[in-house]
Amino acid sequence: MEKIVSLAKRRGFVFQSSEIYGGLNGCYDYGPLGVELLNNIKEQWWRSMTLREDIEGIDASILMHPRVWEASGHVEHFTDPMVDCKQCRARFRNDELPESGACPNCGGKDTFTEARKFNLMFRTFVGPVEDSSATVYLRPETAQGIYVNFFNVQSAARQKVPFGIAQIGKAFRNEINTKNFLFRTREFEQMEMQFFVKPGDDDEWFEYWKEQRIQWFIDLGMSPDLLRYNEHGPGELAHYAKKAFDIQFLFPFGWGEIEGIHNRTDYDLQQHEKFSGKAMKYYDQEANEKYIPYVIETSAGASRSFMAFLVSAFAEEQLEKEKRTVMRFHPRIAPINAAVFPLVNRDGMPEKARAIATDLQKRYRVFYDDKGAVGRRYRRQDEAGTPFCITIDSQTLEDQSVTIRDRDSMEQVRVADAQIAAYLSDNLGI
Ligand SMILES: [Zn+2]
């Protein structure tokens, strides 16, 4: 894990937020390579959801009417039990203390206060008066923005149940303790799709989405050995859920949830009917009946998926003369699509290389590098996870062919310069 965190900073995947001020605990910034990787993950997710006829997208506001969070149960129930150490003043989640009862910070025994409930929602105020009537919350989940828009989307897009609504967006939780790099942060991004079905069809759709979602990670290069389902037992189920499976990834610190698939029943729409006074019953023309749809939720963490893709891509290999670090990202999510190098900086090679790079940049993210030995340039691109490196050498000037080197096999093929774009298109899958 330390190696990955260090590479993430050195190569510009992830920086600590406000680093020059000592950082802000639990907040991170995505650097030049990180934002490309994150955007590619989100783009792949968005396409997998919305390139179907039965799913629509939305982008709801982060601030919502405060009654939404009363209806959802977050005002009352979205709490963690918190204790303070009276000796060193460190604060912990009561359910995460070691069994010995000793303070993990100072080692004090029986130094804790009574546990008290701490609501994890961030609060702020709308307008200039900071009182309870002006209180709003930074959303702790994106799902509610979908539920309250159920009828807006259904009628505007002329959808019929079963159909889904997809959304990518930031959510905020004032975690007592953050940990494990991007795994538990106070600000994070979710990729959520809520699928509305007729009651009675929910079990079948649950199975369908459970399969689809784990396959999505595998299709983007994650080894199935690093993925597993974890079913919530009867004691672990949220009060609204009929069934819940996590997709877990094997991080260096152990298995951790990267996505949840939940059968939320008609709980959320019921609650919004109760609290808003607006009818949430859907009229099913074909069956000629009215019902509140059940919801199958697929809720993936974009930030957690990002971290899982980093971990899954990371490899160190012993070559003949040196060790190389290589990020084996699936070509569709790699931050840089290709690099272009002139072998040496003379004989017209830089001019030719520049022309090729400029042409490819119309369509791809291309990194141009003419600094240092070509072997070192390859190593730098291996660390960035760039699938292909294109080198312009003396033969290029004779027959207009270049070498294209594959990141994983390190093998090189010669390709006519007119065929480079087609080669990338075929091999990147974008
Ligand atoms: Zn202590």
Side-chain angles (χ1 to χ4, degrees), residues 105-159:
N105 190 44
C106 70
K109 285 255 183 192
D110 302 318
T111 51
F112 295 115
T113 59
E114 288 286 298
R116 54 197 193 283
K117 281 184 175 180
F118 173 70
N119 195 294
L120 299 183
M121 284 195 292
F122 278 100
R123 268 181 302 178
T124 186
F125 304 96
V126 166
V129 183
E130 297 192 2
D131 68 11
S132 61
S133 67
T135 300
V136 292
Y137 302 96
L138 300 191
R139 64 183 176 196
E141 62 175 27
T142 53
Q144 300 301 328
I146 293 179
Y147 301 141
V148 300
N149 277 299
F150 169 70
F151 278 117
N152 284 339
V153 173
Q154 187 262 325
S155 66
R158 295 170 56 227
Q159 282 284 0

Short mmCIF file of all heavy atoms in Angstrom, two decimals, residues 105-159:
data_model
loop_
_atom_site.label_atom_id
_atom_site.label_comp_id
_atom_site.label_asym_id
_atom_site.label_seq_id
_atom_site.Cartn_x
_atom_site.Cartn_y
_atom_site.Cartn_z
N ASN A 105 -4.53 5.35 20.66
CA ASN A 105 -3.62 6.49 20.52
C ASN A 105 -2.61 6.56 21.66
O ASN A 105 -1.41 6.65 21.43
CB ASN A 105 -4.44 7.78 20.42
CG ASN A 105 -3.59 8.97 20.03
OD1 ASN A 105 -2.76 8.87 19.13
ND2 ASN A 105 -3.77 10.07 20.73
N CYS A 106 -3.09 6.52 22.92
CA CYS A 106 -2.17 6.72 24.05
C CYS A 106 -2.02 5.46 24.90
O CYS A 106 -1.20 5.43 25.82
CB CYS A 106 -2.64 7.88 24.93
SG CYS A 106 -4.15 7.53 25.86
N GLY A 107 -2.81 4.43 24.62
CA GLY A 107 -2.68 3.19 25.37
C GLY A 107 -3.40 3.20 26.71
O GLY A 107 -3.35 2.21 27.44
N GLY A 108 -4.05 4.31 27.06
CA GLY A 108 -4.77 4.41 28.34
C GLY A 108 -5.87 3.37 28.45
O GLY A 108 -6.50 3.00 27.47
N LYS A 109 -6.07 2.88 29.68
CA LYS A 109 -7.12 1.88 29.92
C LYS A 109 -8.33 2.55 30.56
O LYS A 109 -8.17 3.36 31.47
CB LYS A 109 -6.58 0.79 30.86
CG LYS A 109 -5.62 -0.17 30.18
CD LYS A 109 -6.29 -1.51 29.92
CE LYS A 109 -5.29 -2.50 29.31
NZ LYS A 109 -5.91 -3.68 28.79
N ASP A 110 -9.52 2.17 30.05
CA ASP A 110 -10.76 2.70 30.60
C ASP A 110 -10.77 4.24 30.67
O ASP A 110 -11.16 4.83 31.66
CB ASP A 110 -11.03 2.13 32.01
CG ASP A 110 -11.11 0.62 31.95
OD1 ASP A 110 -11.73 0.09 31.00
OD2 ASP A 110 -10.55 -0.04 32.85
N THR A 111 -10.26 4.83 29.61
CA THR A 111 -10.18 6.29 29.61
C THR A 111 -11.27 6.90 28.73
O THR A 111 -11.24 8.09 28.45
CB THR A 111 -8.81 6.75 29.07
OG1 THR A 111 -8.58 6.09 27.82
CG2 THR A 111 -7.70 6.41 30.04
N PHE A 112 -12.23 6.08 28.29
CA PHE A 112 -13.21 6.58 27.33
C PHE A 112 -14.46 7.16 27.98
O PHE A 112 -14.92 6.69 29.01
CB PHE A 112 -13.63 5.47 26.35
CG PHE A 112 -12.49 5.02 25.49
CD1 PHE A 112 -11.99 3.74 25.58
CD2 PHE A 112 -11.92 5.91 24.59
CE1 PHE A 112 -10.93 3.34 24.78
CE2 PHE A 112 -10.86 5.51 23.79
CZ PHE A 112 -10.36 4.22 23.89
N THR A 113 -15.02 8.16 27.31
CA THR A 113 -16.31 8.70 27.71
C THR A 113 -17.41 7.71 27.30
O THR A 113 -17.15 6.77 26.55
CB THR A 113 -16.60 10.03 27.00
OG1 THR A 113 -16.58 9.78 25.59
CG2 THR A 113 -15.56 11.10 27.35
N GLU A 114 -18.63 7.94 27.77
CA GLU A 114 -19.78 7.17 27.31
C GLU A 114 -19.94 7.40 25.80
O GLU A 114 -19.65 8.49 25.31
CB GLU A 114 -21.05 7.68 28.00
CG GLU A 114 -21.17 7.32 29.46
CD GLU A 114 -21.50 5.84 29.66
OE1 GLU A 114 -22.58 5.43 29.19
OE2 GLU A 114 -20.68 5.10 30.24
N ALA A 115 -20.41 6.37 25.09
CA ALA A 115 -20.64 6.54 23.65
C ALA A 115 -21.83 7.48 23.43
O ALA A 115 -22.81 7.43 24.15
CB ALA A 115 -20.92 5.19 23.03
N ARG A 116 -21.70 8.38 22.46
CA ARG A 116 -22.85 9.20 22.10
C ARG A 116 -23.00 9.21 20.59
O ARG A 116 -22.04 8.97 19.84
CB ARG A 116 -22.74 10.60 22.66
CG ARG A 116 -21.48 11.32 22.31
CD ARG A 116 -21.29 12.52 23.26
NE ARG A 116 -20.25 13.40 22.76
CZ ARG A 116 -18.95 13.12 22.86
NH1 ARG A 116 -18.54 12.00 23.42
NH2 ARG A 116 -18.06 13.95 22.37
N LYS A 117 -24.22 9.48 20.15
CA LYS A 117 -24.52 9.43 18.72
C LYS A 117 -23.99 10.67 18.02
O LYS A 117 -24.16 11.78 18.50
CB LYS A 117 -26.03 9.35 18.51
CG LYS A 117 -26.61 7.97 18.73
CD LYS A 117 -28.10 8.02 18.40
CE LYS A 117 -28.72 6.64 18.47
NZ LYS A 117 -30.16 6.72 18.15
N PHE A 118 -23.38 10.45 16.89
CA PHE A 118 -22.82 11.55 16.13
C PHE A 118 -23.38 11.45 14.71
O PHE A 118 -23.18 10.45 14.04
CB PHE A 118 -21.29 11.42 16.13
CG PHE A 118 -20.60 12.40 15.23
CD1 PHE A 118 -20.57 13.75 15.55
CD2 PHE A 118 -19.98 11.96 14.07
CE1 PHE A 118 -19.93 14.65 14.71
CE2 PHE A 118 -19.34 12.86 13.23
CZ PHE A 118 -19.31 14.20 13.57
N ASN A 119 -24.13 12.48 14.27
CA ASN A 119 -24.70 12.43 12.92
C ASN A 119 -23.62 12.74 11.89
O ASN A 119 -22.86 13.71 12.04
CB ASN A 119 -25.87 13.40 12.79
CG ASN A 119 -26.68 13.08 11.54
OD1 ASN A 119 -26.20 13.21 10.42
ND2 ASN A 119 -27.90 12.61 11.73
N LEU A 120 -23.54 11.90 10.86
CA LEU A 120 -22.45 12.00 9.89
C LEU A 120 -22.72 13.01 8.77
O LEU A 120 -21.88 13.19 7.90
CB LEU A 120 -22.19 10.63 9.26
CG LEU A 120 -21.76 9.53 10.24
CD1 LEU A 120 -21.46 8.24 9.48
CD2 LEU A 120 -20.54 9.95 11.03
N MET A 121 -23.89 13.66 8.79
CA MET A 121 -24.15 14.62 7.71
C MET A 121 -23.47 15.96 8.01
O MET A 121 -23.54 16.47 9.12
CB MET A 121 -25.66 14.84 7.54
CG MET A 121 -26.33 13.67 6.84
SD MET A 121 -27.98 14.10 6.25
CE MET A 121 -28.87 14.31 7.77
N PHE A 122 -22.85 16.54 6.97
CA PHE A 122 -22.32 17.89 7.07
C PHE A 122 -23.47 18.88 6.98
O PHE A 122 -24.31 18.76 6.08
CB PHE A 122 -21.37 18.18 5.90
CG PHE A 122 -19.99 17.65 6.08
CD1 PHE A 122 -19.60 16.47 5.46
CD2 PHE A 122 -19.05 18.34 6.82
CE1 PHE A 122 -18.31 15.98 5.59
CE2 PHE A 122 -17.76 17.86 6.96
CZ PHE A 122 -17.39 16.68 6.35
N ARG A 123 -23.51 19.84 7.89
CA ARG A 123 -24.58 20.84 7.85
C ARG A 123 -24.05 22.19 7.39
O ARG A 123 -22.92 22.55 7.67
CB ARG A 123 -25.16 21.03 9.26
CG ARG A 123 -26.35 20.14 9.54
CD ARG A 123 -26.86 20.40 10.91
NE ARG A 123 -25.81 20.16 11.90
CZ ARG A 123 -25.97 20.34 13.21
NH1 ARG A 123 -27.12 20.79 13.68
NH2 ARG A 123 -25.00 20.08 14.04
N THR A 124 -24.91 22.92 6.71
CA THR A 124 -24.58 24.31 6.41
C THR A 124 -25.90 25.09 6.38
O THR A 124 -26.95 24.54 6.74
CB THR A 124 -23.76 24.44 5.10
OG1 THR A 124 -23.36 25.80 4.96
CG2 THR A 124 -24.55 24.01 3.88
N PHE A 125 -25.84 26.36 6.00
CA PHE A 125 -27.04 27.20 6.06
C PHE A 125 -27.29 27.85 4.71
O PHE A 125 -26.36 28.28 4.04
CB PHE A 125 -26.89 28.27 7.13
CG PHE A 125 -26.58 27.71 8.48
CD1 PHE A 125 -25.26 27.64 8.92
CD2 PHE A 125 -27.58 27.20 9.29
CE1 PHE A 125 -24.95 27.09 10.15
CE2 PHE A 125 -27.28 26.65 10.53
CZ PHE A 125 -25.97 26.59 10.96
N VAL A 126 -28.56 27.96 4.36
CA VAL A 126 -28.94 28.66 3.14
C VAL A 126 -29.31 30.08 3.52
O VAL A 126 -30.12 30.28 4.42
CB VAL A 126 -30.13 27.95 2.45
CG1 VAL A 126 -30.73 28.83 1.39
CG2 VAL A 126 -29.68 26.62 1.86
N GLY A 127 -28.70 31.06 2.87
CA GLY A 127 -28.99 32.46 3.18
C GLY A 127 -28.15 32.96 4.34
O GLY A 127 -27.31 32.22 4.87
N PRO A 128 -28.37 34.23 4.75
CA PRO A 128 -27.46 34.87 5.71
C PRO A 128 -27.72 34.52 7.18
O PRO A 128 -26.86 34.75 8.01
CB PRO A 128 -27.72 36.37 5.48
CG PRO A 128 -29.13 36.43 4.99
CD PRO A 128 -29.39 35.16 4.24
N VAL A 129 -28.87 33.94 7.50
CA VAL A 129 -29.16 33.68 8.91
C VAL A 129 -28.84 32.23 9.26
O VAL A 129 -29.36 31.30 8.65
CB VAL A 129 -30.64 33.98 9.23
CG1 VAL A 129 -30.91 33.79 10.73
CG2 VAL A 129 -31.01 35.38 8.79
N GLU A 130 -27.96 32.07 10.24
CA GLU A 130 -27.53 30.72 10.60
C GLU A 130 -28.41 30.15 11.70
O GLU A 130 -27.99 30.08 12.85
CB GLU A 130 -26.06 30.73 11.01
CG GLU A 130 -25.14 31.16 9.89
CD GLU A 130 -23.67 30.92 10.18
OE1 GLU A 130 -23.35 30.38 11.26
OE2 GLU A 130 -22.85 31.26 9.31
N ASP A 131 -29.65 29.82 11.39
CA ASP A 131 -30.47 29.15 12.40
C ASP A 131 -31.08 27.88 11.83
O ASP A 131 -30.90 27.56 10.66
CB ASP A 131 -31.53 30.11 12.98
CG ASP A 131 -32.59 30.47 11.95
OD1 ASP A 131 -32.63 29.83 10.87
OD2 ASP A 131 -33.36 31.40 12.20
N SER A 132 -31.80 27.16 12.70
CA SER A 132 -32.23 25.82 12.31
C SER A 132 -33.18 25.84 11.11
O SER A 132 -33.23 24.89 10.33
CB SER A 132 -32.91 25.14 13.50
OG SER A 132 -34.04 25.89 13.89
N SER A 133 -33.93 26.95 10.93
CA SER A 133 -34.86 26.98 9.79
C SER A 133 -34.11 27.10 8.46
O SER A 133 -34.68 26.85 7.41
CB SER A 133 -35.83 28.15 9.95
OG SER A 133 -35.12 29.37 9.82
N ALA A 134 -32.83 27.49 8.52
CA ALA A 134 -32.05 27.65 7.29
C ALA A 134 -31.08 26.49 7.07
O ALA A 134 -30.30 26.49 6.12
CB ALA A 134 -31.28 28.96 7.34
N THR A 135 -31.15 25.46 7.92
CA THR A 135 -30.19 24.36 7.84
C THR A 135 -30.42 23.50 6.60
O THR A 135 -31.55 23.11 6.31
CB THR A 135 -30.31 23.44 9.08
OG1 THR A 135 -30.04 24.23 10.23
CG2 THR A 135 -29.34 22.28 9.01
N VAL A 136 -29.36 23.25 5.86
CA VAL A 136 -29.40 22.25 4.79
C VAL A 136 -28.18 21.34 4.98
O VAL A 136 -27.28 21.65 5.76
CB VAL A 136 -29.37 22.88 3.38
CG1 VAL A 136 -30.66 23.63 3.09
CG2 VAL A 136 -28.16 23.76 3.19
N TYR A 137 -28.19 20.24 4.25
CA TYR A 137 -27.13 19.24 4.41
C TYR A 137 -26.40 19.03 3.09
O TYR A 137 -27.02 19.10 2.02
CB TYR A 137 -27.73 17.91 4.87
CG TYR A 137 -28.51 18.03 6.16
CD1 TYR A 137 -29.89 18.20 6.15
CD2 TYR A 137 -27.85 17.97 7.39
CE1 TYR A 137 -30.61 18.32 7.33
CE2 TYR A 137 -28.56 18.09 8.58
CZ TYR A 137 -29.94 18.26 8.55
OH TYR A 137 -30.63 18.38 9.71
N LEU A 138 -25.12 18.78 3.18
CA LEU A 138 -24.41 18.27 2.00
C LEU A 138 -24.85 16.81 1.87
O LEU A 138 -24.73 16.06 2.84
CB LEU A 138 -22.90 18.33 2.18
CG LEU A 138 -22.28 19.71 2.41
CD1 LEU A 138 -20.75 19.61 2.30
CD2 LEU A 138 -22.79 20.73 1.41
N ARG A 139 -25.34 16.41 0.72
CA ARG A 139 -25.96 15.08 0.63
C ARG A 139 -24.99 13.97 1.06
O ARG A 139 -23.84 13.94 0.62
CB ARG A 139 -26.47 14.81 -0.79
CG ARG A 139 -25.39 14.76 -1.84
CD ARG A 139 -25.97 14.57 -3.23
NE ARG A 139 -24.90 14.61 -4.22
CZ ARG A 139 -25.09 14.78 -5.52
NH1 ARG A 139 -26.30 14.91 -6.01
NH2 ARG A 139 -24.06 14.80 -6.34
N PRO A 140 -25.47 13.06 1.91
CA PRO A 140 -24.63 11.94 2.33
C PRO A 140 -24.70 10.77 1.35
O PRO A 140 -23.95 9.81 1.47
CB PRO A 140 -25.23 11.53 3.67
CG PRO A 140 -26.68 11.90 3.55
CD PRO A 140 -26.75 13.10 2.65
N GLU A 141 -25.60 10.85 0.36
CA GLU A 141 -25.69 9.84 -0.69
C GLU A 141 -26.39 10.49 -1.88
O GLU A 141 -27.13 11.46 -1.72
CB GLU A 141 -26.48 8.60 -0.23
CG GLU A 141 -27.94 8.91 0.13
CD GLU A 141 -28.74 7.66 0.46
OE1 GLU A 141 -28.17 6.66 0.91
OE2 GLU A 141 -29.97 7.68 0.25
N THR A 142 -26.14 9.97 -3.07
CA THR A 142 -26.75 10.59 -4.26
C THR A 142 -28.14 10.01 -4.54
O THR A 142 -28.90 10.58 -5.31
CB THR A 142 -25.85 10.39 -5.50
OG1 THR A 142 -25.53 9.00 -5.63
CG2 THR A 142 -24.57 11.19 -5.39
N ALA A 143 -28.47 8.89 -3.92
CA ALA A 143 -29.70 8.16 -4.25
C ALA A 143 -30.97 9.02 -4.12
O ALA A 143 -31.86 8.94 -4.97
CB ALA A 143 -29.83 6.93 -3.35
N GLN A 144 -31.04 9.85 -3.06
CA GLN A 144 -32.29 10.58 -2.83
C GLN A 144 -32.60 11.55 -3.97
O GLN A 144 -33.78 11.81 -4.26
CB GLN A 144 -32.24 11.31 -1.48
CG GLN A 144 -32.04 10.40 -0.28
CD GLN A 144 -33.13 9.33 -0.13
OE1 GLN A 144 -34.29 9.55 -0.48
NE2 GLN A 144 -32.75 8.16 0.37
N GLY A 145 -31.57 12.10 -4.60
CA GLY A 145 -31.79 12.99 -5.75
C GLY A 145 -32.47 12.26 -6.90
O GLY A 145 -33.16 12.86 -7.72
N ILE A 146 -32.27 10.95 -6.94
CA ILE A 146 -32.93 10.12 -7.96
C ILE A 146 -34.37 9.84 -7.56
O ILE A 146 -35.29 10.00 -8.36
CB ILE A 146 -32.13 8.81 -8.18
CG1 ILE A 146 -30.77 9.12 -8.80
CG2 ILE A 146 -32.94 7.84 -9.04
CD1 ILE A 146 -29.89 7.90 -9.05
N TYR A 147 -34.59 9.46 -6.31
CA TYR A 147 -35.95 9.09 -5.88
C TYR A 147 -36.91 10.25 -6.04
O TYR A 147 -38.03 10.08 -6.52
CB TYR A 147 -35.96 8.61 -4.42
CG TYR A 147 -35.06 7.43 -4.17
CD1 TYR A 147 -34.32 7.33 -3.00
CD2 TYR A 147 -34.95 6.41 -5.12
CE1 TYR A 147 -33.49 6.25 -2.78
CE2 TYR A 147 -34.11 5.34 -4.90
CZ TYR A 147 -33.38 5.26 -3.73
OH TYR A 147 -32.55 4.20 -3.52
N VAL A 148 -36.48 11.45 -5.60
CA VAL A 148 -37.42 12.58 -5.66
C VAL A 148 -37.69 13.00 -7.11
O VAL A 148 -38.65 13.72 -7.37
CB VAL A 148 -36.95 13.79 -4.82
CG1 VAL A 148 -36.81 13.39 -3.34
CG2 VAL A 148 -35.65 14.37 -5.34
N ASN A 149 -36.85 12.56 -8.04
CA ASN A 149 -37.06 12.87 -9.45
C ASN A 149 -37.69 11.72 -10.24
O ASN A 149 -37.75 11.78 -11.47
CB ASN A 149 -35.73 13.25 -10.11
CG ASN A 149 -35.38 14.70 -9.88
OD1 ASN A 149 -36.12 15.60 -10.29
ND2 ASN A 149 -34.26 14.95 -9.21
N PHE A 150 -38.17 10.72 -9.53
CA PHE A 150 -38.69 9.53 -10.22
C PHE A 150 -39.73 9.89 -11.27
O PHE A 150 -39.62 9.52 -12.45
CB PHE A 150 -39.27 8.55 -9.20
CG PHE A 150 -40.06 7.43 -9.82
CD1 PHE A 150 -39.42 6.43 -10.55
CD2 PHE A 150 -41.45 7.39 -9.71
CE1 PHE A 150 -40.15 5.40 -11.14
CE2 PHE A 150 -42.18 6.36 -10.30
CZ PHE A 150 -41.54 5.37 -11.02
N PHE A 151 -40.75 10.67 -10.87
CA PHE A 151 -41.82 10.98 -11.83
C PHE A 151 -41.38 11.98 -12.90
O PHE A 151 -41.82 11.91 -14.03
CB PHE A 151 -43.08 11.48 -11.11
CG PHE A 151 -43.91 10.36 -10.57
CD1 PHE A 151 -44.12 10.21 -9.21
CD2 PHE A 151 -44.45 9.39 -11.44
CE1 PHE A 151 -44.86 9.15 -8.72
CE2 PHE A 151 -45.19 8.33 -10.95
CZ PHE A 151 -45.40 8.21 -9.58
N ASN A 152 -40.52 12.93 -12.51
CA ASN A 152 -40.00 13.88 -13.51
C ASN A 152 -39.31 13.14 -14.64
O ASN A 152 -39.55 13.41 -15.82
CB ASN A 152 -38.98 14.83 -12.87
CG ASN A 152 -39.64 15.90 -12.03
OD1 ASN A 152 -40.83 16.19 -12.21
ND2 ASN A 152 -38.88 16.48 -11.11
N VAL A 153 -38.45 12.21 -14.28
CA VAL A 153 -37.68 11.48 -15.30
C VAL A 153 -38.60 10.54 -16.08
O VAL A 153 -38.55 10.47 -17.31
CB VAL A 153 -36.53 10.68 -14.65
CG1 VAL A 153 -35.85 9.78 -15.67
CG2 VAL A 153 -35.52 11.64 -14.03
N GLN A 154 -39.46 9.85 -15.34
CA GLN A 154 -40.34 8.87 -15.99
C GLN A 154 -41.21 9.53 -17.05
O GLN A 154 -41.32 9.04 -18.16
CB GLN A 154 -41.20 8.18 -14.91
CG GLN A 154 -42.04 7.03 -15.41
CD GLN A 154 -43.49 7.43 -15.70
OE1 GLN A 154 -44.04 8.29 -14.99
NE2 GLN A 154 -44.07 6.86 -16.73
N SER A 155 -41.79 10.69 -16.71
CA SER A 155 -42.68 11.31 -17.69
C SER A 155 -41.90 12.05 -18.77
O SER A 155 -42.26 11.98 -19.95
CB SER A 155 -43.70 12.23 -17.00
OG SER A 155 -43.05 13.32 -16.41
N ALA A 156 -40.80 12.74 -18.41
CA ALA A 156 -40.03 13.49 -19.43
C ALA A 156 -39.43 12.54 -20.45
O ALA A 156 -39.38 12.86 -21.65
CB ALA A 156 -38.94 14.32 -18.76
N ALA A 157 -38.94 11.39 -20.00
CA ALA A 157 -38.28 10.46 -20.92
C ALA A 157 -39.25 9.40 -21.44
O ALA A 157 -38.86 8.53 -22.21
CB ALA A 157 -37.10 9.79 -20.22
N ARG A 158 -40.50 9.48 -21.03
CA ARG A 158 -41.56 8.55 -21.42
C ARG A 158 -41.11 7.10 -21.20
O ARG A 158 -41.23 6.25 -22.09
CB ARG A 158 -41.98 8.82 -22.87
CG ARG A 158 -42.62 10.21 -22.99
CD ARG A 158 -42.85 10.67 -24.41
NE ARG A 158 -43.66 9.76 -25.18
CZ ARG A 158 -43.36 9.35 -26.42
NH1 ARG A 158 -42.25 9.79 -26.99
NH2 ARG A 158 -44.14 8.53 -27.06
N GLN A 159 -40.60 6.85 -19.99
CA GLN A 159 -40.16 5.50 -19.63
C GLN A 159 -41.31 4.74 -18.98
O GLN A 159 -42.24 5.33 -18.43
CB GLN A 159 -38.99 5.57 -18.64
CG GLN A 159 -37.66 5.90 -19.29
CD GLN A 159 -37.05 4.72 -20.04
OE1 GLN A 159 -37.61 3.63 -20.09
NE2 GLN A 159 -35.90 4.97 -20.64
#
